[in-house]
Amino acid sequence: MARRPDRRKLRTLRLLRDALIAQILEKGYDAVTVQDITDHANLGRATFYLHFDNKEELLMSSLREMFDDLKERFGVPPPDSFLAGDHPSRLVPFQHAFEYRDLYRVTLLSQQGTAAIVNGIREYLASNMGERLQAAVPASANGKMPLDVLANYLAGGMIALISWWLKSSAPYTAEEMADMFRQLALPTLLTFADSTQPR
Amino acid sequence: MARRPDRRKLRTLRLLRDALIAQILEKGYDAVTVQDITDHANLGRATFYLHFDNKEELLMSSLREMFDDLKERFGVPPPDSFLAGDHPSRLVPFQHAFEYRDLYRVTLLSQQGTAAIVNGIREYLASNMGERLQAAVPASANGKMPLDVLANYLAGGMIALISWWLKSSAPYTAEEMADMFRQLALPTLLTFADSTQPR
Amino acid sequence: MARRPDRRKLRTLRLLRDALIAQILEKGYDAVTVQDITDHANLGRATFYLHFDNKEELLMSSLREMFDDLKERFGVPPPDSFLAGDHPSRLVPFQHAFEYRDLYRVTLLSQQGTAAIVNGIREYLASNMGERLQAAVPASANGKMPLDVLANYLAGGMIALISWWLKSSAPYTAEEMADMFRQLALPTLLTFADSTQPR
Amino acid sequence: MARRPDRRKLRTLRLLRDALIAQILEKGYDAVTVQDITDHANLGRATFYLHFDNKEELLMSSLREMFDDLKERFGVPPPDSFLAGDHPSRLVPFQHAFEYRDLYRVTLLSQQGTAAIVNGIREYLASNMGERLQAAVPASANGKMPLDVLANYLAGGMIALISWWLKSSAPYTAEEMADMFRQLALPTLLTFADSTQPR
DNA sequence: TCCTAAGCGAGACGGTACGTCTTGTCTTCCA
DNA sequence: TGGAAGACAAGACGTACCGTCTCGCTTAGGA
């Protein structure tokens, strides 16, 4: 038994994955056809269907690999990991994102489909917050944190709250949500914005 | 001449918009065809093309309306709006999300395309953080903030940082990014998690 | 109601039929692809499938037309038609074959496919001859030969003559062919059909 | 050198031939795939291509065998064979058809494909008959009917009889069929061939 | 009796055609 | 004039076969 894995097959899979990412980065997920992928990988179109049902499955298989790697690196969360400033696990998400940056770009920054909208909204919120912060924080204030980093962080937190709110049928009013957001954001703001601001 | 806009036309536009949203919620943006939309609106397919070039444009026109409304409500950011706890503008994003919740769901929670991936990643990060917080925060700790709200907020902020980082060619290392995130998150954590934690 | 039949459609059907015949004569039925047909007809491949399920159906629709014409020309077999030397119906099969000689060649001489058609035609001719013989031969007549054996024998002989005629470029008119057939068949008929029939 | 042919090979060839015929009778020539054949024969698909280039060649090889047998049985047409009522060669076509009735059914009654074979068989019979007639009819004989017209007519009649015989489950022996054919053909032959021939 | 080449199974691969689906354009007609 | 109906071109989809190929296993028959 123990069929030899046929080295050809593994090579083919790798070629397809690479071609997909390359093509997505070039023209966007929706615009990529199976033909594009196989052309770019120098394979026959039928060969694609030998291994995957459609291009979504190919993308998913790549993402699954990446995701499994992420989970494995995190491992079981150690009890006190979170607040300890120097625990190495704090690096995991960012290192992981950097290593798989092509795949992250493909998904997080997608300019197609509804993902584009989400990105548009977050960017708008970030720039809107940026302006407000600009006004609220004296230019003199401590440069401990770049303003657009701060703005994006807050915008991302807000979007996440809204998503969670609309997804779960959590019984909160818009006002309660706004208050929660304020409570969550205020400690950070007070730290990085001018501390002379009123409560 | 300046013909009257023909009330029929407005009705047709509205029918198309509503049909699109209904269909997206039912089967997801990608799976919706122009035929689906016009069938659902009881219109001919050709009629669709009288008003829009393609379904993306129809979606965009709906989103543009929604978005314009958001911008208008925010208006010019008043100088001191951000930190003032009770400024009414703090409600705007959440009220807006609630009013247009169908459209928000369509975009933020999409189960299709690459948007699904982003959501998957954020959910994973949120649950991972949730576990860590669970461990870090004594059950006794102040119930001021539901744990999953906190977890989602932090996960959203992290994703936003990563997106911003990969998009801009900002010259930061993964380590620097991880540190920034820690600095941004720590004040909030110290506020809502057990304050006896070290450092 | 009564939608106008859209002249375009009729033209399209004709183009497809002509293209099919031309391509079959050029490379044989099996080797003809739908793409070949639509290319030759200057139409889109999808247009083909708007009107026919597959190339067999297109061929069948052509043959059906041809066949209906043949049946109509024969009409109801007149009682004494068969042995009467100069009855005009004796010309029908040969004239018909000549008019539709392209289609006949496609089916009778085909180096590929469509044996079904030949069998269909022979069976039709045999049953037609059977009816005529039934009328011409008194039931009392000698049972030396089953009627359907006789009918099939004659139909086979006729088809063979037509095949040979259309294949060889033998310089005979339809009338000459019909006469030859009559001469070949008459001795047999006189033997097995009622001998009181006129010469 | 010159290894002996490995008994397995012969077995494989037989398996393939049988599987082809069985499958054709079941679903028609066109619908049979190489996979069907090898599945039915319990062989690998690659094995098929070890022995034949394609399924047509496999069919042809079977038909060739059958055909060679037919030619051999006829042998050289004896000069006076044709009109002699009891010459054994008159049985050959019908006996042959009966023995190979599966293959005959496949080709003569096929609802799909292989018209080419039927034409080949008829042409062979016609030319065989032509030679016999040539011998039987004194060159001096009446030119009332071209010999090849006569030969094709008779061959067509014979094929039609065989088709009818194999299709209907008519309870006739090969001998009875041969006699019927002789009775049907004789009047015509006596009219157009030298009348001095024995009955 | 071994051993060696043939026969064979398995399955990856490139290729071609299939029949289906959707898109966007266009034309004709109706209300 | 807005809309309905539907023909059409274009092109991607996923499926089905084809014929080729490489890789090992098995086994018959010659040494």
Side-chain angles (χ1 to χ4, degrees):
Chain A
M1 295 306 110
R3 250 85 207 29
R4 84 236 102 100
D6 204 337
R7 260 185 237 55
R8 275 181 304 167
K9 177 164 175 173
L10 291 175
R11 182 178 161 275
T12 296
L13 294 188
R14 205 179 357 264
L15 285 173
L16 289 174
R17 279 192 231 276
D18 292 350
L20 175 65
I21 306 293
Q23 293 292 103
I24 293 180
L25 287 173
E26 192 178 318
K27 47 163 73 177
Y29 178 76
D30 285 346
V32 175
T33 71
V34 173
Q35 188 72 253
D36 289 335
I37 298 168
T38 53
D39 281 359
H40 194 270
N42 268 315
L43 291 170
R45 195 164 70 92
T47 303
F48 176 95
Y49 289 104
L50 226 53
H51 303 291
F52 301 97
D53 283 350
N54 46 54
K55 73 174 170 168
E56 177 159 347
E57 210 194 66
L58 169 55
L59 177 59
M60 288 308 174
S61 95
S62 303
L63 292 170
R64 192 162 23 252
E65 267 194 3
M66 173 194 88
F67 212 59
D68 288 347
D69 183 32
L70 177 61
K71 284 181 180 162
E72 193 188 336
R73 291 204 210 174
F74 264 132
V76 180
D80 64 342
S81 64
F82 216 99
L83 300 175
D86 46 6
H87 191 284
S89 83
R90 82 189 199 285
L91 284 175
V92 164
F94 294 92
Q95 278 174 341
H96 186 262
F98 187 73
E99 284 171 31
Y100 291 92
R101 56 192 171 283
D102 277 349
L103 271 173
Y104 270 78
R105 279 203 183 93
V106 159
T107 53
L108 290 181
L109 307 177
S110 160
Q111 290 308 314
Q112 290 85 24
T114 46
I117 317 294
V118 190
N119 290 326
I121 294 177
R122 197 186 50 235
E123 275 164 27
Y124 168 72
L125 285 180
S127 87
N128 184 288
M129 286 194 180
E131 287 177 50
R132 288 160 187 263
L133 289 168
Q134 197 85 20
V137 179
S140 68
N142 39 39
K144 284 183 285 186
M145 184 63 59
L147 262 195
D148 49 357
V149 170
L150 181 54
N152 271 278
Y153 171 77
L154 294 173
M158 177 180 282
I159 291 273
L161 279 201
I162 292 175
S163 295
W164 172 86
W165 181 41
L166 294 178
K167 179 164 200 173
S168 66
S169 39
Y172 294 112
T173 65
E175 194 147 350
E176 286 167 332
M177 290 305 296
D179 280 338
M180 285 191 197
F181 176 69
R182 205 177 131 269
Q183 289 177 49
L184 290 162
L186 208 53
T188 301
L189 278 168
L190 290 176
T191 306
F192 293 102
D194 186 74
S195 54
T196 68
Q197 282 295 337
R199 181 198 122 63
Chain B
M1 286 303 116
R3 277 209 134 293
R4 253 188 309 123
D6 202 338
R7 271 200 267 0
R8 272 184 303 170
K9 177 164 175 174
L10 291 175
R11 181 178 161 275
T12 297
L13 294 187
R14 202 174 6 259
L15 283 172
L16 289 174
R17 277 193 232 277
D18 293 351
L20 175 65
I21 306 293
Q23 293 292 103
I24 292 180
L25 287 172
E26 192 177 319
K27 45 162 74 174
Y29 179 75
D30 286 345
V32 174
T33 70
V34 174
Q35 187 74 252
D36 288 335
I37 299 168
T38 52
D39 281 0
H40 195 271
N42 269 314
L43 291 171
R45 197 164 65 90
T47 304
F48 176 94
Y49 290 102
L50 283 177
H51 304 293
F52 302 96
D53 283 353
N54 47 54
K55 76 174 170 172
E56 177 158 349
E57 208 193 69
L58 170 54
L59 176 59
M60 288 309 174
S61 96
S62 303
L63 291 170
R64 191 162 24 250
E65 266 193 4
M66 173 192 89
F67 215 59
D68 288 347
D69 182 32
L70 178 61
K71 282 180 181 163
E72 192 188 336
R73 290 203 210 174
F74 264 133
V76 179
D80 63 344
S81 64
F82 216 102
L83 301 174
D86 49 4
H87 191 283
S89 83
R90 82 189 199 286
L91 285 175
V92 163
F94 295 92
Q95 278 174 340
H96 185 262
F98 188 74
E99 283 171 31
Y100 290 92
R101 57 192 171 280
D102 276 350
L103 270 173
Y104 269 78
R105 280 205 183 93
V106 159
T107 53
L108 290 181
L109 306 178
S110 160
Q111 291 309 314
Q112 290 86 24
T114 46
I117 319 294
V118 189
N119 290 325
I121 294 178
R122 198 187 50 236
E123 276 165 25
Y124 168 70
L125 285 180
S127 86
N128 185 286
M129 288 193 179
E131 289 177 49
R132 288 160 186 263
L133 290 170
Q134 197 86 18
V137 179
S140 68
N142 39 41
K144 281 184 286 185
M145 185 63 59
L147 261 195
D148 49 355
V149 170
L150 180 53
N152 272 280
Y153 170 78
L154 293 172
M158 177 180 283
I159 291 272
L161 278 201
I162 292 175
S163 295
W164 171 86
W165 180 40
L166 293 177
K167 178 165 200 173
S168 67
S169 40
Y172 295 110
T173 64
E175 193 146 353
E176 286 168 333
M177 289 306 296
D179 280 338
M180 284 192 201
F181 175 69
R182 204 176 133 271
Q183 290 176 50
L184 289 163
L186 208 53
T188 302
L189 279 166
L190 290 175
T191 306
F192 294 102
D194 186 75
S195 54
T196 68
Q197 283 293 339
R199 195 185 136 68
Chain C
M1 300 305 109
R3 238 84 202 39
R4 82 239 104 94
D6 204 335
R7 258 185 241 52
R8 273 182 306 168
K9 177 164 174 175
L10 292 174
R11 180 178 161 275
T12 296
L13 295 187
R14 206 179 355 264
L15 284 173
L16 289 174
R17 280 193 230 276
D18 292 350
L20 174 65
I21 306 292
Q23 293 292 102
I24 292 181
L25 288 173
E26 192 178 318
K27 46 163 75 176
Y29 179 77
D30 285 346
V32 175
T33 71
V34 173
Q35 188 73 253
D36 289 335
I37 298 169
T38 52
D39 282 359
H40 195 271
N42 269 313
L43 291 170
R45 196 163 70 93
T47 303
F48 176 94
Y49 290 103
L50 226 53
H51 302 292
F52 302 96
D53 284 351
N54 47 53
K55 73 175 169 168
E56 177 159 347
E57 210 194 66
L58 169 54
L59 177 59
M60 287 309 174
S61 97
S62 303
L63 292 171
R64 191 160 27 249
E65 267 194 3
M66 175 193 87
F67 212 59
D68 288 347
D69 183 31
L70 177 61
K71 283 180 182 164
E72 193 188 335
R73 290 203 210 174
F74 264 133
V76 179
D80 63 345
S81 63
F82 217 101
L83 300 174
D86 47 5
H87 191 283
S89 83
R90 82 190 199 283
L91 286 174
V92 164
F94 294 92
Q95 277 175 342
H96 185 261
F98 187 74
E99 283 171 31
Y100 290 93
R101 58 192 169 280
D102 277 349
L103 270 174
Y104 270 78
R105 280 206 184 91
V106 158
T107 52
L108 290 182
L109 308 179
S110 153
Q111 292 309 315
Q112 297 89 8
T114 47
I117 318 294
V118 190
N119 290 326
I121 295 179
R122 196 186 52 235
E123 276 163 26
Y124 168 71
L125 285 180
S127 86
N128 184 288
M129 285 193 181
E131 289 178 47
R132 287 160 188 263
L133 290 169
Q134 197 85 19
V137 179
S140 69
N142 39 41
K144 283 182 285 185
M145 184 63 59
L147 261 196
D148 50 354
V149 170
L150 181 53
N152 271 280
Y153 170 77
L154 293 173
M158 178 180 281
I159 291 273
L161 278 201
I162 292 174
S163 295
W164 172 86
W165 179 42
L166 293 178
K167 180 165 201 173
S168 66
S169 41
Y172 296 109
T173 63
E175 194 146 351
E176 286 167 334
M177 290 305 296
D179 281 336
M180 284 191 199
F181 176 69
R182 206 177 131 267
Q183 289 176 48
L184 289 163
L186 207 53
T188 301
L189 280 167
L190 290 175
T191 305
F192 294 101
D194 186 12
S195 56
T196 67
Q197 283 293 339
R199 190 196 121 60
Chain D
M1 301 302 114
R3 281 190 139 296
R4 251 190 311 118
D6 201 340
R7 269 203 266 358
R8 277 180 301 168
K9 178 166 174 172
L10 291 175
R11 182 178 160 276
T12 297
L13 293 188
R14 204 177 2 263
L15 284 172
L16 288 174
R17 278 193 231 278
D18 292 350
L20 175 65
I21 306 292
Q23 293 292 103
I24 292 181
L25 287 173
E26 192 178 319
K27 44 161 74 177
Y29 178 76
D30 285 346
V32 175
T33 72
V34 174
Q35 187 73 252
D36 289 334
I37 298 169
T38 52
D39 282 0
H40 194 270
N42 269 314
L43 292 170
R45 197 164 67 91
T47 303
F48 177 95
Y49 289 103
L50 236 48
H51 303 292
F52 301 96
D53 283 351
N54 47 52
K55 74 174 170 170
E56 177 159 347
E57 209 194 66
L58 169 54
L59 177 59
M60 288 310 173
S61 96
S62 304
L63 291 172
R64 191 162 26 251
E65 267 193 3
M66 173 192 89
F67 214 59
D68 288 347
D69 182 32
L70 178 60
K71 282 181 182 163
E72 193 189 334
R73 291 204 209 174
F74 264 134
V76 179
D80 63 343
S81 64
F82 214 100
L83 301 174
D86 47 6
H87 190 283
S89 82
R90 81 190 200 287
L91 285 175
V92 164
F94 293 92
Q95 278 174 340
H96 186 262
F98 188 74
E99 284 171 29
Y100 290 93
R101 56 193 171 281
D102 276 350
L103 271 174
Y104 270 77
R105 280 205 182 92
V106 159
T107 52
L108 291 182
L109 307 178
S110 152
Q111 292 308 317
Q112 295 91 7
T114 48
I117 318 295
V118 190
N119 291 325
I121 295 178
R122 197 186 50 235
E123 275 163 27
Y124 167 71
L125 285 180
S127 85
N128 184 287
M129 287 194 181
E131 289 177 48
R132 287 159 188 265
L133 289 169
Q134 197 85 20
V137 178
S140 68
N142 39 40
K144 282 185 285 185
M145 185 63 58
L147 262 195
D148 50 355
V149 170
L150 181 53
N152 271 281
Y153 171 78
L154 293 173
M158 176 179 284
I159 292 274
L161 278 201
I162 292 174
S163 295
W164 171 87
W165 181 40
L166 294 177
K167 179 165 200 173
S168 66
S169 39
Y172 295 110
T173 64
E175 193 146 352
E176 285 167 334
M177 289 306 295
D179 280 337
M180 284 192 201
F181 176 69
R182 203 175 133 271
Q183 288 175 51
L184 289 163
L186 207 54
T188 301
L189 279 167
L190 289 176
T191 304
F192 292 102
D194 186 11
S195 54
T196 68
Q197 284 292 340
R199 189 194 121 62

